[in-house]
Amino acid sequence: CTQNHHHPSILAQSIHKCLSRTSRFSFQRRVSYYPRVSMSKHNQTFPHTPTIILLCGIPATGKSTLLSRLKQENGGTLTWCIEQWDNHYEKQLIQQDKGQESHTGMHFDPVQYKEQRQKWTHSLRSRIRQAATGESGQILIVEDNFYLNSMRRDMFLICQEVGAIYGEVILRCCLETSLQRNAQRTFPIPTKVIERMDALFEYNPRNREMKKRHLELDTEQCNAKECLDRIITFVHSLKPVENRSLEKQLEKVLSRQSNVESVKHQLDLMLRKYTASLLKSLEGKSGQSPNILARKLGPLRKEFISLHASHCEDMIRDHRSVTNTLNEHSIPEEILIHFADHFKDFVYLQLV
């Protein structure tokens, strides 16, 4: 980062406090257009279809380096653009800081952070729908961590709705390498944020169609040029997401909604029982009183359930299929234990 930040800790603080607070990536317009890049073959195959590529990974896996390489590419006549949440949010912080007489009083506002991401999401969705009705295709690369499947699935469903082309590229490297690269940054992200995100990152898509449009690259094994070449080949192989009939979608949604609501209720009961032991483990680590922690755990529990109920329902269905217990209605004990541990990580990320 080469920008002159008055408060380098603001971005790190925002990432630390809001890493899991919103399950939807978002955006407020910050678009860079580069009219020439060597993907024109793809544009000839689907000349009127927008293409959405998600560039994902924990911090310091090489996403920004890869995008810098992409900006230097020449050849072809494809119109494309890049959306980067971090760059946008840093810009908002700088503008906010300049508008204050005293920089020492500036503090991170989680409400404002969430509002900005919601605006980003809404604007990005609108752009994709608008692009789908245009006369020429465009490649839109959206760069963020996207560490949960639900974050990536939201974009996939938009592409399915408008018949756009969808692909997701996840950059990986070992945690030690990520931490070493992060330490070399001008404004490094807190180590525990990267460690928690690495532990929570959901690499494998659960959706069958998303698995067909999924690419993982090890940035320790491939340099930026090799990664870019593989991404271009990957993009060439992608086709528009088929939009299933509305009747089938509605039937499936209604059935799944009923199952997910039941799972939410059972998860809520389990996590309420788990709260007492979790409070004891948090005492002395968070620097907050038990009463304050108890008030914060309620909203966090609801947010966690909202984020992971669908995943839990998928795991239950797979478990019942393997164990031939399709008539069982309760959540298996091993799945409850899995989500209890996951909830602990989720809470520690927010409060410790």
Side-chain angles (χ1 to χ4, degrees), residues 133-337:
T133 62
E135 296 181 355
S136 61
Q138 180 185 90
I139 289 186
L140 173 63
I141 300 178
V142 186
E143 186 263 315
D144 198 3
N145 303 121
F146 296 119
Y147 64 98
L148 293 178
N149 269 313
S150 58
M151 298 175 177
R152 306 193 291 271
R153 180 175 171 79
D154 182 70
M155 180 57 65
F156 173 80
L157 292 177
I158 298 172
C159 292
Q160 185 180 66
E161 175 189 335
V162 301
I165 296 168
Y166 170 87
E168 58 184 56
V169 178
I170 298 182
L171 301 187
R172 303 188 68 164
C173 67
C174 70
L175 179 59
E176 290 74 15
T177 299
S178 175
L179 295 176
Q180 290 173 4
R181 293 173 178 174
N182 180 63
Q184 297 172 4
R185 290 177 163 178
T186 305
F187 305 123
I189 295 171
T191 297
K192 61 182 178 181
V193 172
I194 299 180
E195 292 174 341
R196 291 292 185 184
M197 188 185 293
D198 182 65
L200 294 172
F201 206 105
E202 299 175 347
Y203 287 96
N204 298 320
R206 296 189 295 272
N207 182 290
R208 185 186 306 173
E209 284 299 317
M210 291 177 67
K211 286 181 181 180
K212 298 177 183 178
R213 306 162 188 275
H214 174 88
L215 174 67
E216 291 187 20
L217 297 173
D218 189 335
T219 57
E220 292 182 280
Q221 303 296 324
C222 303
N223 59 34
K225 182 181 183 304
E226 292 170 336
C227 287
L228 183 57
D229 289 342
R230 291 187 61 183
I231 291 174
I232 292 175
T233 301
F234 171 66
V235 172
H236 287 168
S237 70
L238 297 173
K239 297 180 180 179
V241 181
E242 294 183 1
N243 191 2
R244 297 170 297 176
S245 68
L246 294 177
E247 293 80 6
K248 289 184 178 180
Q249 289 187 47
L250 180 60
E251 181 181 350
K252 186 173 182 179
V253 166
L254 291 176
S255 174
R256 184 174 179 81
Q257 223 171 26
S258 176
N259 292 335
V260 170
E261 287 303 318
S262 174
V263 168
K264 284 183 178 180
H265 178 66
Q266 294 184 61
L267 276 178
D268 185 61
L269 292 177
M270 180 273 291
L271 294 178
R272 285 176 182 273
K273 295 178 181 179
Y274 183 60
T275 299
S277 59
L278 187 57
L279 277 173
K280 291 182 180 180
S281 67
L282 285 169
E283 290 180 13
K285 295 182 179 180
S286 66
Q288 302 178 54
S289 69
N291 289 337
I292 295 177
L293 289 173
R295 287 197 297 269
K296 291 183 176 181
L297 278 179
L300 287 178
R301 185 184 69 253
K302 293 178 181 178
E303 182 178 350
F304 177 83
I305 292 172
S306 177
L307 283 172
H308 297 284
S310 295
H311 182 199
C312 183
E313 200 270 332
D314 288 339
M315 291 180 64
I316 294 170
R317 185 173 58 253
D318 293 342
H319 179 273
R320 290 172 181 170
S321 177
V322 172
T323 59
N324 196 25
T325 55
L326 298 177
N327 294 326
E328 291 289 335
H329 297 290
S330 59
I331 301 178
E333 183 177 357
E334 55 265 40
I335 295 180
L336 287 176
I337 294 174

Side-chain angles (χ1 to χ4, degrees), residues 3 27-32 82-84 87-88 91:
Q3 298 186 26
F27 155 88
Q28 186 176 11
R29 293 298 291 271
R30 188 177 192 275
V31 183
S32 300
I82 293 174
E83 309 286 5
Q84 293 176 278
N87 285 354
H88 160 69
K91 184 178 179 181

Side-chain angles (χ1 to χ4, degrees), residues 81-130:
C81 60
I82 293 174
E83 309 286 5
Q84 293 176 278
W85 161 251
D86 284 347
N87 285 354
H88 160 69
Y89 191 61
E90 288 178 27
K91 184 178 179 181
Q92 296 300 312
L93 291 177
I94 293 173
Q95 291 177 348
Q96 177 186 352
D97 194 22
K98 288 181 178 178
Q100 296 191 10
E101 296 181 0
S102 173
H103 301 303
T104 57
M106 183 179 176
H107 67 282
F108 169 68
D109 184 351
V111 175
Q112 183 190 51
Y113 180 92
K114 192 168 185 177
E115 288 177 352
Q116 289 290 335
R117 287 189 67 89
Q118 288 173 345
K119 290 179 180 179
W120 192 45
T121 301
H122 179 74
S123 179
L124 190 54
R125 288 173 178 171
S126 298
R127 288 197 60 234
I128 295 172
R129 293 187 176 100
Q130 185 177 6

Side-chain angles (χ1 to χ4, degrees), residues 54-70:
L54 305 189
L55 188 60
C56 326
I58 66 173
T61 51
K63 299 186 293 298
S64 298
T65 301
L66 185 62
L67 290 178
S68 296
R69 179 80 189 195
L70 181 59

